């Protein structure tokens, strides 16, 4: 479970109780009333913002959170293994790295995440980077495409920069920005053949896309991570900071477009995120508050039993436990189904590039 | 539309000091006369003018041994006769005595609380300037100091008045009135978010208007507290105890303060919850449109939004009423209608 470290919740128990009660309604009342449970916050996006990078994108959410991603590719020498025969080399390579038939390696993609207010070795940026990298490398296509020949490969540096303080859990925003940057990444066209030293076409117009687009055929796209949270029986996508503060459980689902059909999506990785609600202090009911005419329990065990017996709704109790199986399957279904959330996000991001 | 992605907003206006195409070195006159037509932004440290005829106002300074006026904040330039001032785009709240503010407790000390009121420095709320439960009037004892968290603890919201200002501009608050105290049964909204991207702060809470009012909605009454500091609390209206007319002033205090420091919400109907959230969304929309936030505006926009929703529902299906996305879209649509009504 990845830690939630972005700014501890600083809401009063009464507010938390109100938020939770409104989100647990059917249909849920979100903090922004105009949005339904499946609606994302509106955002502004652009790509090719950094002239020196192979691909770049910037996305700003309506609350002011903004992320910038640059993708830079460099040619790197593949370290040669001391192998006896060429055929064996390939086989050994397969076994050692455990990547099946692919020639690419995980180390060819490097990802760094910078979040203001955090050191680069703090757990939040490290976990964000590893979750983004994990989803990126989950399918073999990307790293195989970085293969040039037996002696050389592309090394891809993905630099993710959050420009504003992390208001809500920034994983979804960073992932969408990374998706857009990778989608628009171009690599110079290769002119040399086979195992020669690589020589590239200096014409930038001839550059090939890292994720090639074939007309009419559904080609693979970089993955995008979608945050979903559960409150009671409700599932809410793209939660804002306050909504996240009352979540029962949070799921980060990385998905990409499905390889077999034009609609729908497939999941490449899935993680639970520790919701900040677990760290909130519980509200004190009137019956246990000396300032409201109640009596303070004498011991902590007494307090616990009183709390457990308490059935009143208006008191904030931090959620316990994880996510129900039925909810998890419901979330995954909502994400991957034809016309589901993942398809909507991926097509919306693809539409920017077209338009 | 579940996912809406827009192109980037229009490019920024050219900088004030950007060289114009036809401008030659000879006619560099903008140093002498700050242009008034410009809506462009000056930045901290930017040289505004070195002409001695201008006087420096707020947001500017003159370095020692110079005559040039330099901006200290990022904002728009204003000229009043020969006085030059720069109005910052975003500024923190400057407390003044008598202001009604909404604050959040960030720290508890032995005899006082530290309260975040969106000012440059945290405000103090001494233990001696709160009402004790039951309205008892007495000296605060060591027992009260030990029980300080039963009154307010970290994260709690409260409405208070600025009682005094210290030399360093920190404020001292008090809640010694029945109108003030802990806030519950509702939703908190802040006008100035931490980000500056799309919601730039042009609007704000208007001072010296009615700041606590009750809004009538179809579902029930809603209380709105507009803190001068830009913090807003919207909650369910609690009726005062029924037989208040025949009890004395002390008894009244007693009746109300039963729940004065409660952190438990009353039962709120889903419809009321929805209206509370709707008002909060509309206020955010108002700010996004750069409108002022006061009672008139909120009431007008709220009624307009309810009407709009009713129309949409009767016409069936979304998209029947032409409007933009999200809170800003709704507010824009409502304001557009209000303008049409006013004009026609």
């Amino acid at each position: 479970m990845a830690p939630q470290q972005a700014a501890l919740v600083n809401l009063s128990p009464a507010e938390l109780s109100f938020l939770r009660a409104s989100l647990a309604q059917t249909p849920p009342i979100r903090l922004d009333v105009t949005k339904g449970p499946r609606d994302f916050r509106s955002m502004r996006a652009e790509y090719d913002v950094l002239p020196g990078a192979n691909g770049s994108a910037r996305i700003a959410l309506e609350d002011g959170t903004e992320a910038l991603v640059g993708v830079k590719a460099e040619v790197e020498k593949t370290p040669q293994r001391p192998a006896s025969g060429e055929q064996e080399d390939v086989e050994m390579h397969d076994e050692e790295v455990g990547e099946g038939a692919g020639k690419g390696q995980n180390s060819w993609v490097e990802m760094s995440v910078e979040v203001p207010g955090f050191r680069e070795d703090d757990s939040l940026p490290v976990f964000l980077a590893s979750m983004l990298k994990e989803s990126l490398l989950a399918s073999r296509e990307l790293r195989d495409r970085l293969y040039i020949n037996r002696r050389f490969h592309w090394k891809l540096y993905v630099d993710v920069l959050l420009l504003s303080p992390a208001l809500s859990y920034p994983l979804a925003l960073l992932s969408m920005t990374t998706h857009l940057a990778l989608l628009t990444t171009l690599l110079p066209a290769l002119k040399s053949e086979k195992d020669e030293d690589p020589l590239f076409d200096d014409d930038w117009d001839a550059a090939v896309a890292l994720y090639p687009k074939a007309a009419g055929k559904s080609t693979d796209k970089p993955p995008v991570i979608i945050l979903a949270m559960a409150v009671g029986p409700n599932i809410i996508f793209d939660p804002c900071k306050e909504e996240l503060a009352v979540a029962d459980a949070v799921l980060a689902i990385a998905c990409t477009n499905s390889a077999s059909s034009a609609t729908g999506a497939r999941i490449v990785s899935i993680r639970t995120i520790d919701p900040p609600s677990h760290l909130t202090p519980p509200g004190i009911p009137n019956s246990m508050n000396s300032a409201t005419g109640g009596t303070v329990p004498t011991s902590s065990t007494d307090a616990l039993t009183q709390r457990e017996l308490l059935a009143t709704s208006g008191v904030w109790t931090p959620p316990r436990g994880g996510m129900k199986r039925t909810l998890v399957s419901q979330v995954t279904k909502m994400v991957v189904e034809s016309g589901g959330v993942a398809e909507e996000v991926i097509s919306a991001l693809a539409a920017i590039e077209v338009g | 539309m579940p996912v809406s992605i827009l192109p980037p907003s229009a490019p920024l206006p050219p900088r004030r000091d950007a060289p114009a195409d036809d401008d030659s070195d000879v006619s560099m006159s903008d140093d002498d006369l700050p242009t008034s037509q410009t809506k462009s932004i000056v930045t901290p440290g930017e040289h505004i003018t070195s002409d001695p005829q201008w006087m420096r106002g707020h947001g500017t300074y003159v370095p020692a041994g110079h005559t040039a006026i330099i901006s200290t904040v990022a904002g728009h330039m204003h000229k009043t006769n020969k006085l030059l001032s720069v109005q910052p785009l975003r500024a923190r709240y400057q407390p003044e005595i008598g202001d009604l503010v909404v604050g959040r407790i960030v720290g508890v000390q032995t005899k006082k609380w530290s309260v975040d009121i969106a000012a440059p420095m945290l405000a103090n709320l001494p233990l001696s300037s709160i009402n004790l439960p039951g309205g008892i009037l007495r000296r605060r004892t060591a027992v009260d100091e030990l029980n300080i968290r039963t009154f307010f603890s970290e994260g709690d919201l409260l409405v208070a008045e600025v009682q005094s200002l210290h030399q360093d501009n920190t404020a001292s608050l008090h809640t010694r009135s029945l109108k003030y105290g802990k806030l519950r049964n509702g939703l908190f909204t802040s006008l100035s978010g931490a980000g500056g991207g799309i919601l730039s702060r042009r609007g704000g809470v208007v001072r010296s208007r009615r700041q606590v009012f009750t809004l009538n909605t179809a579902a029930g009454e809603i209380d709105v507290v507009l803190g001068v500091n830009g913090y807003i609390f919207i909650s369910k209206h609690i009726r005062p105890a029924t037989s208040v007319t025949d009890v004395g002033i002390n008894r009244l205090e007693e009746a109300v303060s039963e729940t004065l420091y409660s952190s438990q919400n009353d039962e709120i109907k889903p419809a009321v919850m929805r209206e509370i959230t709707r008002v909060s969304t509309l206020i955010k929309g108002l700010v996004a449109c750069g409108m002022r936030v006061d009672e008139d505006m909120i009431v007008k926009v709220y009624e307009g939004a309810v009407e709009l929703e009713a129309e949409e529902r009767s016409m069936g299906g979304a998209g029947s009423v032409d409007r933009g996305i999200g809170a800003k879209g709704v507010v824009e649509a409502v304001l557009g209608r209000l303008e049409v009504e006013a004009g026609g």
Side-chain angles (χ1 to χ4, degrees):
Chain A
M1 203 180 257
Q4 156 70 266
Q5 222 192 13
L8 279 172
V9 189
N10 193 20
L11 301 175
S12 72
E15 278 179 285
L16 290 168
S17 161
F18 180 89
L19 279 169
R20 196 194 146 91
S22 58
L23 286 173
Q25 302 290 329
T26 37
I29 305 167
R30 293 192 67 169
L31 209 58
D32 186 344
V33 179
T34 54
K35 301 226 178 306
R38 279 177 59 151
D39 289 352
F40 278 58
R41 287 169 284 178
S42 70
M43 55 190 103
R44 293 185 181 274
E46 59 180 326
Y47 62 96
D48 276 352
V49 281
L50 303 175
N54 289 62
S56 59
R58 185 187 72 100
I59 294 186
L61 290 184
E62 61 188 358
D63 62 0
T65 336
E66 197 170 339
L68 184 67
V69 171
V71 179
K72 185 93 182 145
E74 271 180 16
V75 176
E76 205 181 57
K77 241 186 180 147
T78 315
Q80 295 295 316
R81 283 161 207 288
S84 50
E86 291 198 355
Q87 292 299 325
E88 276 169 25
D89 186 337
V90 175
E91 275 171 25
M92 255 176 65
H93 177 102
D94 287 350
E95 279 162 18
E96 272 176 26
V97 189
E99 287 171 359
K103 299 171 205 139
Q105 289 173 27
N106 281 349
S107 60
W108 293 354
V109 177
E110 199 164 287
M111 183 152 252
S112 81
V113 174
E114 251 181 73
V115 180
F118 289 90
R119 283 164 49 133
E120 60 183 33
D121 56 351
D122 272 342
S123 59
L124 178 78
V126 170
F127 271 97
L128 287 174
S130 65
M131 273 191 277
L132 288 170
K133 193 176 170 184
E134 172 192 63
S135 61
L136 205 59
L137 294 170
S139 61
R140 201 171 297 118
E141 286 93 349
L142 173 67
R143 55 175 188 243
D144 286 352
R145 229 170 271 143
L146 298 177
Y147 179 84
I148 299 173
N149 57 36
R150 276 179 47 221
R151 288 163 52 227
F152 290 95
H153 65 261
W154 286 110
K155 174 120 186 178
L156 208 61
Y157 295 93
V158 184
D159 291 302
V160 183
L161 184 65
L162 193 67
L163 295 175
S164 59
L167 292 177
S168 56
Y169 201 65
L171 182 61
L173 172 72
L174 298 184
S175 153
M176 281 192 285
T177 321
T178 314
H179 175 98
L180 191 59
L182 284 169
L183 208 57
T184 55
T185 297
L186 297 174
L187 297 177
L190 190 65
K191 273 165 87 181
S192 59
E193 289 170 347
K194 291 194 177 157
D195 282 353
E196 292 170 10
D197 281 2
L199 181 72
F200 296 99
D201 200 340
D202 12 358
D203 186 7
W204 190 244
D205 292 332
V208 288
L210 182 61
Y211 282 89
K213 286 172 283 291
K217 204 172 115 241
S218 78
T219 51
D220 74 313
K221 294 219 172 94
V224 63
I225 297 177
I226 291 163
L227 278 191
M229 70 169 219
V231 174
N234 292 329
I235 294 164
I236 289 156
F237 286 94
D238 192 34
C240 70
K241 184 189 171 200
E242 284 85 359
E243 288 167 340
L244 212 55
V246 295
D248 284 350
V250 184
L251 275 186
I253 305 155
C255 30
T256 180
N257 61 337
S258 100
S260 49
S261 69
T263 58
R266 66 193 161 90
I267 291 179
V268 291
S269 73
I270 186 163
R271 292 240 168 216
T272 56
I273 289 166
D274 192 16
S277 52
H278 285 168
L279 298 172
T280 52
I284 298 165
N286 284 347
S287 60
M288 285 163 66
N289 191 347
S290 63
T292 52
T295 44
V296 183
T298 46
S299 67
S300 56
T301 42
D302 195 19
L304 270 177
T305 33
Q306 277 199 39
R307 257 181 208 292
E308 292 300 322
L309 295 172
L310 203 75
T312 47
S313 53
V315 186
W316 167 248
T317 31
R320 283 174 297 191
M323 206 168 182
K324 287 199 182 72
R325 276 187 184 204
T326 46
L327 272 180
V328 176
S329 62
Q330 221 177 318
V331 171
T332 48
K333 188 164 172 268
M334 281 170 88
V335 169
V336 297
E337 69 190 346
S338 173
V341 179
E343 197 191 325
E344 274 165 1
V345 173
I346 291 172
S347 56
L349 284 166
I352 303 171
E353 207 195 346
V354 175
Chain B
M1 181 75 183
V3 184
S4 62
I5 304 182
L6 309 165
S9 42
L12 294 167
R15 280 175 59 104
R16 208 175 55 82
D17 57 353
D21 294 334
D22 57 330
D23 218 15
S24 69
D25 268 354
V26 188
S27 64
M28 275 295 277
S29 59
D30 70 358
D31 224 17
D32 316 317
L33 188 78
T35 42
S36 63
Q37 43 86 27
T38 161
K39 274 302 257 181
S40 70
I41 288 168
V42 292
T43 50
E46 191 175 331
H47 177 115
I48 298 174
T49 179
S50 46
D51 192 338
Q53 66 166 321
W54 295 97
M55 285 195 312
R56 67 176 200 92
H58 286 294
T60 60
Y61 83 111
V62 178
H66 271 266
T67 52
I69 296 179
I70 286 171
S71 165
T72 57
V73 292
H76 297 296
M77 200 166 59
H78 284 264
K79 286 195 299 180
T80 327
N81 296 326
K82 290 289 173 198
L83 183 73
L84 270 183
S85 53
V86 181
Q87 194 184 26
L89 288 174
R90 294 161 55 81
R92 290 198 151 247
Y93 158 69
Q94 284 295 332
E96 280 174 29
I97 293 175
D99 279 351
L100 180 102
V101 293
V102 173
R104 190 188 288 282
I105 308 281
V106 292
V108 180
Q109 287 148 49
T110 48
K111 284 179 187 173
K112 61 178 185 185
W113 293 272
S114 304
V115 189
D116 166 33
I117 53 165
M121 275 178 284
L122 295 177
N124 291 321
L125 175 65
L127 185 58
S128 56
S129 28
I130 63 160
N131 273 329
L132 289 177
I136 314 160
L137 297 169
R138 59 170 168 81
R139 245 181 92 97
R140 304 297 186 267
T141 61
V143 179
D144 292 325
E145 283 174 25
L146 289 174
N147 287 333
I148 193 164
R149 278 200 171 80
T150 61
F151 305 121
F152 295 109
S153 65
E154 290 90 345
D156 281 346
L157 282 173
L158 61 107
V159 52
E161 191 181 289
V162 178
Q163 186 168 35
S164 60
L165 292 177
H166 298 291
Q167 280 195 327
D168 55 353
N169 254 339
T170 53
S172 248
L173 308 178
H174 80 93
T175 64
R176 308 211 65 160
S177 159
L178 289 183
K179 294 180 289 183
Y180 306 145
K182 207 180 227 180
L183 291 168
R184 62 198 183 97
N185 289 330
L187 199 57
F188 170 79
T189 310
S190 162
L191 288 192
S192 46
I198 296 159
L199 292 182
S200 72
R201 187 181 173 191
R202 268 174 297 157
V205 171
V206 181
R207 249 199 194 112
S208 73
R209 292 285 176 91
R210 197 145 73 110
Q211 287 176 346
V212 183
F213 60 92
T214 307
L215 195 68
N216 278 312
T217 70
E221 286 178 321
I222 290 175
D223 277 342
V224 181
V225 182
L226 303 173
V228 193
N229 53 348
Y231 287 179
I232 291 173
F233 196 77
I234 304 147
S235 63
K236 178 192 166 193
H237 180 65
I238 309 269
R239 270 175 202 293
T242 42
S243 58
V244 284
T245 42
D246 54 325
V247 291
I249 186 73
N250 283 333
R251 293 279 303 131
L252 169 79
E253 213 159 64
E254 209 167 290
V256 175
S257 59
E258 268 295 278
T259 52
L260 191 58
Y261 293 109
S262 163
S263 57
Q264 174 177 347
N265 279 347
D266 296 341
E267 189 145 340
I268 308 171
K269 287 198 212 92
V272 179
M273 260 182 214
R274 195 179 166 75
E275 296 311 308
I276 290 174
T277 327
R278 191 211 298 266
V279 174
S280 132
T281 310
L282 288 174
I283 289 176
K284 278 188 195 142
L286 273 175
V287 178
C289 294
M291 301 298 294
R292 75 202 142 85
V293 176
D294 60 7
E295 187 185 353
D296 288 351
M297 207 63 194
I298 292 173
V299 173
K300 259 194 253 171
V301 169
Y302 173 77
E303 280 164 1
V306 171
E307 224 170 77
L308 197 72
E309 199 199 50
E311 262 173 52
E312 267 180 14
R313 197 173 296 152
S314 67
M315 284 156 86
S320 48
V321 178
D322 182 37
R323 63 171 173 85
I325 309 148
K328 196 179 172 189
V330 173
V331 173
E332 269 170 359
V334 171
L335 289 176
R337 283 182 178 210
L338 287 175
E339 259 172 40
V340 170
E341 277 169 31

